[in-house]
Amino acid sequence: MSNRLQQLHAAGVSIWLDYIDRTMLFNGDLERRIRDEALTGMTSNPTIFEKAMAEGEAYDKQLSSAESGLSPWELFELVETEDVRRACDLFAPVYDATKGADGMVSIEVSPGVANDSQATVEEAKRLWRAVERPNVMIKVPGTETGAVAVRELITEGINVNITLLFSVDAHRRVIDAYLDALDARAAAGKPVDGIASVASFFVSRVDTLVDKKLDALIATLPEDRRAHAESLKGKAAIANAKMAYRLFQQKFSGPRWDALAAKGARVQRPLWASTSTKNKAYRDVMYVEQLIGPDTVNTMPPATIDAFADHGVVARTVDADLDAAERVLADLTALGIDMRQVTDQLLEEGITSFQKSFDGLLGGIEKKVSSLAAR
């Protein structure tokens, strides 16, 4: 069953699990996935923790024994950092075998600091110290202020996962922040060979919004133009991601990058996020199959990993048919669908969604603590 996943890994894709809970960290499930499914990393976020903590009793003992007076936020950091430390330890053999190039586990700053670069930096540093593992990555939102924070964090030698990237322009901004930080370290005589970063570029949500806009548009078009508009559904996200990968190839080549690479610097890999298929009419592994290529990461929920293991097709696709990808985006523009507006909306919705999950998580912890105290 894992053969396709091994092939995917061999094609240059690091397979990261977009899920975490305490049970899998201690019952052997994660070790099995690392061994059998070529799993080389893990991502977490408030939504995932909200689900994990709401189900079962895996966190009850730690919450019950925590010192009194801690806020729900402090309790959350207590349990999440323990989980992430444990996950980092389980991925340590991968980290060691790849000489620090993989085996990463991401932990996210709270969404409330998304538009405050200094608060982001301070929270990221606190999480970095709390986990205290070389293979932890601090996840920072890809806002304009987030890019400022990325530059400072990378300059200080902290691994960073920039999340909620939807536009190629935002991707360019965080690549530039990464390169500027590496240049600053090199100029100061500091090493650049021990730092890792990924740029999490979200995929399926783009199709969800663009398809919705296409459906509304198709209803207003003359019959002879509807078929073409219909044919664009389910294509915007892959086209957008391919443009991001092309930018990655351009930025990590040439004299500037060669000078950093000679000092041992690593590329900031594109990470394809939101790769579970939301539309049941589409192939369930399309956002994995169509973005395969060197120096990429694909973070998938367990169901998508299982689906790819069962019937995924491996071929280098991420930089294939770029002319067709450009035509898709041009055709959408011609129909009046503004991709900048789409990606701006998705970023705003993404931050709002994470804030909602974070608030729900803190509320859930508060209820859990109250119920435990009443026993």
Side-chain angles (χ1 to χ4, degrees):
M1 184 176 178
S2 64
N3 185 49
R4 291 181 177 87
L5 296 171
Q6 298 286 355
Q7 291 173 12
L8 182 63
H9 181 260
V13 180
S14 287
I15 304 166
W16 288 11
L17 180 66
D18 193 27
Y19 184 74
I20 189 171
D21 72 18
R22 186 156 295 181
T23 300
M24 76 181 308
L25 295 174
F26 288 93
N27 68 1
D29 185 40
L30 184 56
E31 292 100 316
R32 177 190 63 78
R33 287 182 175 274
I34 293 170
R35 182 183 65 248
D36 298 342
E37 299 180 351
L39 205 65
T40 59
M42 175 179 271
T43 51
S44 65
N45 62 48
T47 304
I48 291 171
F49 270 106
E50 181 184 23
K51 185 175 187 296
M53 294 185 71
E55 297 177 355
E57 302 175 347
Y59 296 91
D60 290 5
K61 183 177 179 182
Q62 187 178 9
L63 290 172
S64 295
S65 62
E67 64 179 272
S68 61
L70 293 181
S71 68
W73 187 346
E74 290 169 326
L75 287 168
F76 168 56
E77 282 201 5
L78 188 70
V79 298
E80 87 164 329
T81 52
E82 178 164 322
D83 278 6
V84 170
R85 273 193 297 273
R86 169 68 175 172
C88 284
D89 291 344
L90 294 178
F91 279 106
V94 176
Y95 179 81
D96 292 340
T98 60
K99 295 180 170 55
D102 218 329
M104 300 292 171
V105 181
S106 292
I107 185 171
E108 187 159 6
V109 298
S110 60
V113 301
N115 293 307
D116 185 333
S117 61
Q118 198 52 47
T120 297
V121 168
E122 290 170 4
E123 191 168 320
K125 288 180 179 178
R126 188 179 71 250
L127 291 172
W128 177 260
R129 290 191 299 267
V131 176
E132 201 180 7
R133 297 292 188 274
N135 56 329
V136 68
M137 263 187 174
I138 310 302
K139 196 187 286 191
V140 171
T143 57
E144 289 188 28
T145 50
V148 175
V150 168
R151 189 189 191 285
E152 184 171 342
L153 292 168
I154 294 293
T155 300
E156 296 201 18
I158 294 173
N159 302 325
V160 182
N161 174 346
I162 305 94
T163 188
L164 289 176
L165 296 174
F166 295 95
S167 75
V168 175
D169 284 343
H171 191 206
R172 179 180 291 106
R173 192 163 57 229
V174 300
I175 292 175
D176 287 342
Y178 179 65
L179 293 173
D180 288 347
L182 291 181
D183 280 338
R185 284 183 66 83
K190 297 178 180 177
V192 296
D193 59 343
I195 303 169
S197 180
V198 296
S200 292
F201 202 85
F202 280 55
V203 188
S204 67
R205 295 187 196 184
V206 173
D207 276 342
T208 300
L209 182 52
V210 170
D211 285 1
K212 184 178 178 181
K213 289 179 176 292
L214 282 170
D215 282 335
L217 184 65
I218 288 166
T220 70
L221 290 174
E223 193 168 337
D224 61 342
R225 295 181 58 197
R226 291 179 183 175
H228 174 62
E230 187 74 34
S231 73
L232 295 173
K233 290 170 67 175
K235 293 182 179 177
I238 297 296
N240 191 47
K242 286 190 173 190
M243 295 301 102
Y245 188 79
R246 182 173 68 179
L247 175 67
F248 158 76
Q249 290 178 309
Q250 292 167 348
K251 285 286 190 177
F252 290 96
S253 63
R256 182 187 188 187
W257 174 247
D258 289 345
L260 287 167
K263 294 180 173 69
R266 298 189 181 95
V267 297
Q268 182 189 66
R269 292 182 294 170
L271 179 152
W272 311 125
S274 183
T275 54
S276 60
T277 304
K278 308 299 188 289
N279 189 332
K280 294 187 183 299
Y282 300 154
R283 184 169 168 81
D284 59 356
V285 290
M286 64 181 278
Y287 298 116
V288 183
E289 290 177 333
Q290 296 186 45
L291 293 172
I292 296 173
D295 293 315
T296 60
V297 181
N298 199 307
T299 182
M300 302 176 246
T304 304
I305 289 178
D306 292 345
F308 196 91
D310 182 66
H311 52 266
V313 176
V314 177
R316 180 164 175 162
T317 51
V318 71
D319 49 3
D321 299 324
L322 293 183
D323 289 345
E326 287 183 329
R327 281 196 302 274
V328 166
L329 297 174
D331 287 351
L332 289 169
T333 300
L335 285 170
I337 294 178
D338 185 339
M339 286 299 293
R340 180 181 290 276
Q341 187 181 69
V342 166
T343 55
D344 285 350
Q345 179 179 335
L346 287 169
L347 174 59
E348 184 178 342
E349 290 176 352
I351 293 171
T352 300
S353 175
F354 277 128
Q355 183 66 60
K356 183 178 178 182
S357 293
F358 194 69
D359 292 344
L361 169 65
L362 297 183
I365 290 175
E366 197 164 16
K367 288 181 182 177
K368 172 78 80 169
V369 170
S370 296
S371 68
L372 291 172
R375 290 182 185 176

